[in-house]
Amino acid sequence: MTKYVFVTGGVSSSLGKGLTASSLGRLLKSRGFKVTMCKLDPYLNVDPGTMNPGEHGEVFVTDDGGETDLDLGHYERFIDEPLSKMSNTTTGSVYSNVIAKERRGDYLGKTVQVIPHVTDEIKERIRRLGTLGADVVIVEIGGTVGDIEIVPFIESIRQYRRDAGRDNVCYVHLTLVPYLAPSGEHKTKPTQHSVTELRSRGIQPDVIVCRSDQAIPDALKRKISLLCDVPIDAVISCADAPSIYDIPLNLMDEGLDTMVCRTLGLDPDEHPLDLHEWREVVHRVHHTTRTLRIGVIGKYVTMPDAYLSVNEAIRHAGYAVGARTEVEWLEAERVPSEIDADRLRQLDGVIVPGGFGERGIEGMIAAARIARENDIPYLGICLGMQVMVVEFARHCLGLRDAHSTEMSLTTTAPVIALMAEQMNITDLGGTMRLGACPAMLDEGSIVANLYGTTVVSERHRHRYEFNSRYRSQFEEAGMRCSGTSPDGRLVEFVELAGHSFYVGTQAHPEFKSRPDRPHPLFLGLVKAAVARAEGREPHILDPDVVDVAP
Ligand code: GLN
């Protein structure tokens, strides 16, 4: 029988509900359960694909091409299981399905209402996820209890306990326990109010996780237990942690997973915890011996969540070489200026991540040039690879006017162009390449050596591609197209020999980095950055420098 854990939040947003849910997922997985997760988002967008990353954070891409909420990135990094589109539901997607069914006549003339039609649709999505073989499905409800738009989701999960059976459902509620400096106390009142709000919707939480700056004292736990009617063991203190990877261990110490198991009728003693792999990660997080400075040049650098997976992937690679990585966020629009060029030269490595649209593009191209000319390790991700190509065309092939047709429709050297344009297709609908695509790497190339294989699969999210018409020109001048789609038509990787590290990929490798399994391309960049920081000749293919990840 599949078990379900529903995680709701109260008092305030940004409490780390996604990280709490992910940490619980890791703990349950470490007890030997098969875990899957999903996020229910109360906004009206059908998916986050069209949302501004500067406001909403990155769009996390799943293998099957789902454009999903960034919390799915936390889920994948913590439970280390690939998720799919099915793991993200929004009000918009629920309503568009319900309305499509209504138009098709599926409701047989009934009045279509929030209850039961919308709630049934929500429950059906949760149930479908539960049929895929997981022992436990963890469902995070976005937003905060008390929000207007969250009500259908809360009602659905309330009904779920009746549908799935009492022992198969556990409600975890996350709240804020603020510290008031003038009175020198942590306060429980907001928690009481938020539990009251949840109860007014028919849900009595089984576990209350209290977010606070420091661990809350036992007396406070007793008070919350009494007033919110949960056992004292079910009041879990979750204080600010030095690293997000500490959270599972902290929650384990507080007994979160034990309590959840008991609520679900799973005997914790029969499923002992084996956290040694996670403990190794945490050990590495706290035992770094050097600091590396990696610059990220992008459009949304004032909102680092816009590059969340890139940031985590840099960290993972850093941990693997014993380095703490400090990311310097550089506004692409300002990079061509002298100050930023100097700043770039002082960095140990740079990344130009993915992005859309023209803003800041010349700054990214300038960064690619500075990195190439100054032998600064550079990793180009998606748009970051495209700017490497444009820069190389302009300054090494003499194609001064080279550009991507995304930015200039009149360029005389469209080195990056729509697939459709390259193939003279006029219908541009559905031209976004989304999700996992295989690539074949050239034997002996830098990327093949980093990956340790010549067949790889990475996730994509883009419309434009390297224009194959220019391929031989690039190769003759030294930019190698070192990986392509299996049919050889699409260029997936480019690299420069004779540079400390100058590698670009059309895909988004950041989505597949894990804390205990850094992504080979990020590891390559970070190792070259270590070499630069140490001021020695970098040899990224040196056997003792490259430790090829699986
Ligand atoms: N805007 C570029 C394209 O659509 C790159 C997209 C990206 O970086 N994800 O091809």
Side-chain angles (χ1 to χ4, degrees), residues 243-264:
S243 137
I244 59 172
Y245 299 111
D246 286 295
I247 302 172
L249 299 184
N250 296 351
L251 291 174
M252 177 209 61
D253 285 341
E254 285 284 311
L256 172 66
D257 54 313
T258 315
M259 204 59 216
V260 169
C261 283
R262 289 212 184 102
T263 310
L264 295 172

Side-chain angles (χ1 to χ4, degrees), residues 354-356 382-383 386 406 461-464 508:
F356 292 81
C382 208
L383 183 63
Q386 297 176 355
E406 180 181 7
R461 181 172 182 252
H462 58 102
R463 288 195 182 82
Y464 295 81
H508 283 278

Side-chain angles (χ1 to χ4, degrees), residues 243-357:
S243 137
I244 59 172
Y245 299 111
D246 286 295
I247 302 172
L249 299 184
N250 296 351
L251 291 174
M252 177 209 61
D253 285 341
E254 285 284 311
L256 172 66
D257 54 313
T258 315
M259 204 59 216
V260 169
C261 283
R262 289 212 184 102
T263 310
L264 295 172
L266 303 167
D267 184 350
D269 298 331
E270 272 177 29
H271 303 274
L273 256 176
D274 175 4
L275 272 173
H276 80 272
E277 283 170 10
W278 196 263
R279 283 187 197 283
E280 270 170 36
V281 169
V282 175
H283 180 84
R284 265 184 261 137
V285 171
H286 293 296
H287 291 83
T288 52
T289 52
R290 54 157 68 88
T291 301
L292 292 176
R293 287 188 310 148
I294 307 291
V296 174
I297 297 109
K299 199 165 123 176
Y300 305 111
V301 290
T302 49
M303 164 70 158
D305 266 3
Y307 305 108
L308 185 63
S309 294
V310 170
N311 196 14
E312 290 308 314
I314 296 171
R315 285 192 189 157
H316 302 160
Y319 299 147
V321 300
R324 199 169 74 82
T325 43
E326 271 173 13
V327 171
E328 293 221 8
W329 302 99
L330 294 149
E331 191 109 44
E333 278 174 295
R334 297 189 20 216
V335 169
S337 77
E338 222 9 74
I339 307 166
D340 280 343
D342 278 345
R343 232 173 120 188
L344 235 55
R345 284 188 206 101
Q346 284 156 24
L347 296 170
D348 302 318
V350 297
I351 292 181
V352 175
F356 292 81

Side-chain angles (χ1 to χ4, degrees), residues 149 181 185 358 374 407 448 462 528:
E149 61 267 33
E185 288 175 304
E358 204 187 344
N374 294 273
M407 321 300 165
H462 58 102

Side-chain angles (χ1 to χ4, degrees), residues 53 56-60 68-70 77 305-310 511:
H56 187 70
E58 83 176 1
V59 175
F60 186 81
T68 71
D69 186 77
L70 53 73
R77 285 185 284 274
D305 266 3
Y307 305 108
L308 185 63
S309 294
V310 170
F511 298 137

Side-chain angles (χ1 to χ4, degrees), residues 492-518:
E492 301 279 24
F493 294 87
V494 298
E495 60 188 51
L496 271 189
H499 189 285
S500 59
F501 188 93
Y502 202 70
V503 174
T505 168
Q506 191 53 80
H508 283 278
E510 68 273 24
F511 298 137
K512 290 180 72 171
S513 176
R514 302 287 173 261
D516 54 348
R517 223 168 45 255

